[in-house]
Amino acid sequence: MTTPYQPPSFANVSFNPLGVDTIEQHFSQNPLFKRQAKALAFAYFITGSHNDGSHKFENKHHPVYRTFRSGYTQENQKDYSRTRREYMWFVLDALTAWDRITGGATVMVHTNGTRRPGAPNVLTESSIDAYAPPHLIDELPNSAYAFARIVQEFAQGIALDTTERWDKLSNKKSWSTDGPAPDPITPSPALLPRSLSTHFLFHGRPWGTLEPLIEQYVLTRSAVVQWSVYAPPPKLPMPSIPPQPSNASTPTFSLPVPPGLNPVRSLLSAPPSSARALSPTPVLPAHPPAGARGDVAVIASDQEDSHYSQSSGGLNDEEQLLLILGELDDERHANKFLKQTVEEHKQNLDAYHTEIVDQRREIREQRRLIVEYLQEIDNLKATNSHLTSRTSSFPDVVIVTNNIVIQSWLR
């Protein structure tokens, strides 16, 4: 005989993996709530948090931070990672539904305040989970630029300080100082990371590198047919400039190189000195922001004209080789970032696979229960049929009590 289910005492559960699993198990007893049980468990713990008055905790973590980690050990570390990931999915579901019922738009950015063990607190180590409606990014041309700027501003103005605060309050420095520091993360060559949902995983970019990247997209928008913010900006062909007389006056000036660009390629992509000589007063771009790389001197002289072939008006062999090397370097960085993205997607697929296995196990359990219920129903039908056949053969019974005649027909 099956032991009847005893509901848990909700007063004794806390907002941690064990408490969430306990509440989820309770709601899962009803087959109608099986799919929504996890969301109901999260909603049970967080309802009313936004206006509960418990928001000012200077120089210390909120008590829920400790509550969520109560009982944490290395053995059950996967349970905590799983619950945090499932809670993020719960939040993303709520934001997605919010945009759908209002027809509006939402952008959410979040950082855990942590980074890889042994890594420095720099922008490229800031891992940022973000939400945005993909259909608006596709429909509104400027929304991708705004989304990327919001994430980068968040990384520069909040994520770095949040990570430093986490180190201080958790009495840890980069989680661990044991072993060598990990390899630096290569910034994405694309404006936005690819995503099949409303969840986008970003890493911060070095200071001063986002706006030059956006400018490359803007310049190529009308010149290239195949164009996507989820891929590196396409490269326009270098225009061929005809040779000019070498006796023209050639001023000397310096051009600041945008941060993050290859200085060699910046020099090669500039027009020849004879072409620059046509403009007696060159307009210099603004200086790069604090922390960016310095200027690279470009000296225009008659000697520089000799590097260009008078017959073809193009680049000489040495400069073409440098240009090719620069492009190969860009491709190497792009491949490295693509490899990192594949690893992240692989981890997400592993998590999805684990969830699918759990759901299949639950489906098998539900099927087993359904079979048991059907067997019980068949037994009850057989019992009912047996009783009906017996009572139908009983004669009419007449009972005489205190001169009152009671006649009963048992059917």
Side-chain angles (χ1 to χ4, degrees):
M1 183 175 180
T2 305
T3 304
Y5 170 73
Q6 297 294 333
S9 175
F10 283 15
N12 297 327
V13 295
S14 301
F15 191 12
N16 53 35
L18 179 60
V20 172
D21 291 344
T22 301
I23 302 299
E24 179 189 13
Q25 181 183 5
H26 170 70
F27 286 115
S28 298
Q29 297 302 313
N30 189 331
L32 296 177
F33 296 150
K34 192 71 176 179
R35 182 171 175 268
Q36 295 84 4
K38 181 72 70 174
L40 292 172
F42 284 132
Y44 172 79
F45 287 109
I46 70 169
T47 300
S49 298
H50 78 284
N51 62 349
D52 60 2
S54 179
H55 305 296
K56 295 184 178 180
F57 287 88
E58 297 180 1
N59 300 320
K60 61 180 178 180
H61 290 302
H62 193 280
V64 174
Y65 178 88
R66 300 296 180 189
T67 302
F68 187 82
R69 286 157 181 78
S70 59
Y72 176 87
T73 61
Q74 291 296 329
E75 288 73 17
N76 60 8
Q77 179 182 4
K78 292 184 178 180
D79 293 334
Y80 286 81
S81 300
R82 169 184 57 82
T83 304
R84 285 171 52 174
R85 182 176 62 253
E86 291 171 341
Y87 184 76
M88 180 184 70
W89 294 341
F90 169 73
V91 173
L92 293 172
D93 285 343
L95 295 175
T96 303
W98 194 10
D99 283 348
R100 289 177 179 177
I101 64 177
T102 62
T106 303
V107 173
M108 184 276 294
V109 286
H110 169 80
T111 180
N112 289 330
T114 57
R115 58 194 184 279
R116 297 180 300 168
N121 185 17
V122 294
L123 284 171
T124 53
E125 286 293 332
S126 295
S127 179
I128 299 172
D129 295 291
Y131 164 88
H135 67 280
L136 289 186
I137 294 177
D138 296 335
E139 294 176 16
L140 307 179
N142 294 326
S143 61
Y145 308 142
F147 187 28
R149 288 186 176 113
I150 289 172
V151 173
Q152 182 66 13
E153 287 291 335
F154 176 82
Q156 296 175 177
I158 297 179
L160 288 179
D161 294 336
T162 300
T163 302
E164 182 178 353
R165 180 180 184 271
W166 189 94
D167 287 343
K168 177 182 177 181
L169 299 184
S170 303
N171 296 321
K172 295 182 179 180
K173 197 71 174 177
S174 302
W175 289 35
S176 173
T177 57
D178 299 334
D183 294 334
I185 296 177
T186 303
S188 169
L191 185 64
L192 301 182
R194 292 188 179 275
S195 176
L196 300 178
S197 67
T198 58
H199 175 230
F200 296 83
L201 179 60
F202 285 86
H203 286 280
R205 299 180 182 275
W207 295 89
T209 61
L210 177 61
E211 291 304 321
L213 180 62
I214 292 179
E215 290 177 4
Q216 295 182 48
Y217 283 98
V218 174
L219 291 175
T220 57
R221 171 179 290 177
S222 59
V224 181
V225 177
Q226 299 295 333
W227 185 87
S228 171
V229 293
Y230 303 107
K235 296 179 176 61
L236 294 177
M238 181 182 298
S240 177
I241 301 177
Q244 300 292 333
S246 60
N247 58 355
S249 59
T250 53
T252 301
F253 57 95
S254 63
L255 286 175
V257 177
L261 297 182
N262 190 323
V264 175
R265 297 191 63 194
S266 300
L267 291 174
L268 295 177
S269 60
S273 61
S274 55
R276 291 196 298 268
L278 299 178
S279 178
T281 307
V283 179
L284 300 182
H287 291 288
R293 298 178 180 177
D295 296 348
V296 177
V298 180
I299 301 177
S301 64
D302 294 338
Q303 183 180 3
E304 185 180 359
D305 286 331
S306 62
H307 292 287
Y308 292 87
S309 172
Q310 297 295 328
S311 59
S312 64
L315 302 176
N316 61 24
D317 294 340
E318 181 181 358
E319 290 169 330
Q320 290 180 359
L321 178 60
L322 291 176
L323 181 61
I324 294 174
L325 291 176
E327 293 179 348
L328 290 176
D329 187 61
D330 288 347
E331 293 295 333
R332 182 176 63 84
H333 285 292
N335 290 336
K336 184 176 181 180
F337 175 80
L338 181 60
K339 181 179 179 181
Q340 295 172 352
T341 304
V342 169
E343 289 297 328
E344 292 175 352
H345 284 302
K346 181 180 178 182
Q347 294 177 0
N348 290 335
L349 289 176
D350 290 341
Y352 293 144
H353 176 71
T354 302
E355 185 178 3
I356 290 174
V357 171
D358 293 339
Q359 290 179 352
R360 287 179 176 176
R361 187 182 301 110
E362 293 174 356
I363 291 174
R364 288 196 297 268
E365 179 64 18
Q366 290 180 355
R367 288 178 176 174
R368 185 185 65 80
L369 294 175
I370 291 174
V371 171
E372 291 182 357
Y373 293 153
L374 292 176
Q375 291 177 350
E376 292 182 4
I377 292 173
D378 292 338
N379 294 336
L380 291 175
K381 287 182 177 179
T383 303
N384 183 53
S385 175
H386 178 68
L387 292 176
T388 303
S389 63
R390 291 187 60 187
T391 56
S392 62
S393 61
F394 289 170
D396 293 346
V397 178
V398 179
I399 302 175
V400 180
T401 304
N402 296 330
N403 298 324
I404 300 176
V405 179
I406 303 175
Q407 187 173 10
S408 174
W409 294 268
L410 299 181
R411 295 289 187 265

